[in-house]
Amino acid sequence: MLRPDAGEVMESRSAREILAAVLARPDEVMLEVGAGGELLVARLRVVIAALLLVLPLANAVSGGTVRETLIGLGGAVFVNVFAQVWLQLARRRRRYRWLSFATVAFDVTATTAVLIVLAFAHLPAALNSMVVWGCYLLAIVLTALRGDGRTTLFAGALAVLQYGAIIAAVFAFADSPEHLLSSDYGAVTPGPQVQRVMLLVIATMITATVVYRMQRLVEMSGTDGLTRLPNRTWLLHRMPRLLEVASEEDGSLSLALIDLDHFSRINDEAGHHAGDRAIRHVVEVLKGMTERNERLVRLGGEEFVLVMPQPLGTAWERVDAIRRVLGQRPFDPERGNLEPLRLTFSAGVAASPHDGHDLSTLLRRADRRLKMAKREGRNRVIARDG
């Protein structure tokens, strides 16, 4: 049976489904990717903020007024100070869920604040300063690096609302058309302002689409195609954070490496299609037994990992109970005269901090115990070294 490729899956979604996906909270892998993106944005912000210091000097050299130069310099210094603050917060190991929204609000509002100050100095400058207005576009586009569509839509909506308010205020405070004319900035008219608002909307839509594509690609790279379970990629990205949280809370995190016993006989006797159905049967049983705070991961073939926020002894009891239930629910190959097959598994369990503090160490310990279970006759769970 042919499965649609990634492009076909994404293109088949309706606009409403895409919007819902963008508005939804990203999965844990995407949040980890987004945390790295936030740090990258913070570093870029520092570089951009440093470059902004050059703009007031360029304005002064090109014949700009002293007031405009001082306004630009003050705004650049303000942005540089906060850029360092955001960078330090982004570098911390602890993930602040509000940080992305706070920095997006800062990027957009700082642009608005500079435009407001320019308006007090020279009314047309507030709406025809393309360099400052372009910072709205930068703020929107940079949200793509965070991998969270909610921040993109937030940035776009905030930019449109704030810039729209500036447009309304400038036209309201202009006593006559002459006040909207400038030898430096040209004439301020409604048409170009509406176009700029539309450009902000378009930039938001394009950036949100890019984020959506990124989210779907990351989701598919971290999801097993047959069972829709998280896969090895998910485990590699997510486990460090789970171990970190367990350590911060002085808790335990156990990992069970599960391997189905004699699984090749199903492929040999009933065919690979039946083997796929048998894998899905096992996943259905295992998922039915796992609790909400536990995660079942498929490493590949007939090998799985069960992640449990529990100490070693409790984890062993959980996995052994799952083993017994699976043995009581035979798989029906539905082919020829084959009788329902009783499926069993062997498992090795390791826990942090008792057996190690990183994924690699825990997997090695669990694999060693899994091999012991195989040698001792299979269909058993071992949580201690012999």
Side-chain angles (χ1 to χ4, degrees):
M1 180 179 178
L2 295 176
R3 295 188 181 91
D5 61 26
E8 291 174 341
V9 171
M10 287 187 281
E11 289 168 6
S12 66
R13 296 198 177 199
S14 66
R16 181 178 297 179
E17 291 173 326
I18 293 174
L19 179 61
V22 171
L23 286 172
R25 183 176 182 269
D27 63 16
E28 298 299 339
V29 174
M30 200 67 204
L31 288 176
E32 290 298 313
V33 173
E38 182 62 42
L39 180 57
L40 179 58
V41 170
R43 289 170 174 163
L44 282 173
R45 188 185 293 108
V46 169
V47 174
I48 294 171
L51 293 175
L52 290 178
L53 291 170
V54 179
L55 296 180
L57 301 178
N59 181 69
V61 171
S62 62
T65 65
V66 174
R67 177 180 291 184
E68 289 177 354
T69 300
L70 291 177
I71 291 172
L73 184 60
V77 170
F78 176 79
V79 170
N80 271 270
V81 171
F82 271 89
Q84 293 297 329
V85 173
W86 299 133
L87 178 60
Q88 295 307 313
L89 289 174
R91 279 176 171 168
R92 294 190 177 185
R93 291 171 61 85
R94 180 182 176 187
R95 301 291 185 241
Y96 298 105
R97 293 186 177 181
W98 49 264
L99 183 59
S100 294
F101 293 95
T103 55
V104 165
F106 170 79
D107 292 340
V108 173
T109 306
T111 303
T112 301
V114 173
L115 291 177
I116 291 173
V117 175
L118 285 175
F120 280 102
H122 186 43
L123 206 57
L127 297 184
N128 280 4
S129 178
M130 291 303 296
V131 173
V132 179
W133 178 84
C135 292
Y136 282 131
L137 296 178
L138 287 176
I140 293 170
V141 171
L142 283 175
T143 60
L145 296 176
R146 297 176 172 92
D148 188 342
R150 298 172 302 172
T151 63
T152 300
L153 298 180
F154 176 63
L158 195 61
V160 168
L161 289 173
Q162 292 187 1
Y163 190 65
I166 292 176
I167 294 173
V170 167
F171 280 100
F173 283 107
D175 296 329
S176 65
E178 288 75 17
H179 286 165
L180 298 177
L181 296 176
S182 171
S183 58
D184 295 324
Y185 294 96
V188 175
T189 57
Q193 301 310 316
V194 172
Q195 292 172 4
R196 289 175 197 171
V197 171
M198 291 305 300
L199 281 175
L200 293 177
V201 173
I202 292 171
T204 302
M205 293 174 61
I206 292 174
T207 306
T209 302
V210 170
V211 172
Y212 170 75
R213 297 283 292 190
M214 289 171 54
Q215 288 177 338
R216 298 288 74 75
L217 290 173
V218 170
E219 176 187 324
M220 284 181 284
S221 70
T223 304
D224 176 63
L226 176 65
T227 63
R228 308 308 300 167
L229 289 175
N231 62 12
R232 185 184 295 271
T233 299
W234 183 94
L235 190 68
L236 293 174
H237 279 88
R238 185 59 184 141
M239 273 298 288
R241 179 56 182 159
L242 293 176
L243 289 167
E244 183 181 320
V245 171
S247 177
E248 290 174 352
E249 297 177 353
D250 294 325
S252 298
L253 187 69
S254 295
L255 177 153
L257 187 58
I258 298 171
D259 189 79
L260 300 181
D261 298 326
H262 303 296
F263 187 76
S264 59
R265 63 174 177 160
I266 296 178
N267 290 325
D268 295 339
E269 297 175 8
H272 289 282
H273 180 65
D276 287 347
R277 290 194 299 103
I279 290 290
R280 287 194 288 264
H281 168 79
V282 170
V283 169
E284 182 181 354
V285 174
L286 267 58
K287 286 184 68 176
M289 289 289 294
T290 55
E291 298 180 355
R292 188 173 183 179
N293 59 350
E294 299 172 347
R295 296 303 295 263
L296 182 64
V297 179
R298 187 187 183 198
L299 293 185
E302 61 271 20
E303 197 169 38
F304 300 86
V305 166
L306 180 60
V307 181
M308 301 160 284
Q310 298 166 346
L312 189 63
T314 305
W316 179 88
E317 292 176 356
R318 291 277 301 116
V319 179
D320 197 58
I322 294 172
R323 178 190 62 82
R324 292 195 300 271
V325 170
L326 178 64
Q328 296 166 4
R329 299 182 185 178
F331 165 67
D332 186 0
E334 297 179 357
R335 180 174 176 176
N337 297 320
L338 292 177
E339 295 292 328
L341 302 174
R342 180 172 176 265
L343 301 177
T344 63
F345 67 72
S346 303
V349 185
S352 173
H354 181 268
D355 292 310
H357 296 84
D358 59 82
L359 175 61
S360 178
T361 303
L362 293 176
L363 281 176
R364 283 198 303 271
R365 288 290 184 90
D367 185 59
R368 184 189 308 163
R369 292 163 185 172
L370 170 61
K371 290 177 179 176
M372 289 175 56
K374 296 283 189 181
R375 288 195 302 267
E376 293 180 11
R378 305 176 190 269
N379 192 24
R380 65 195 64 218
V381 180
I382 292 181
R384 305 284 182 183
D385 293 330

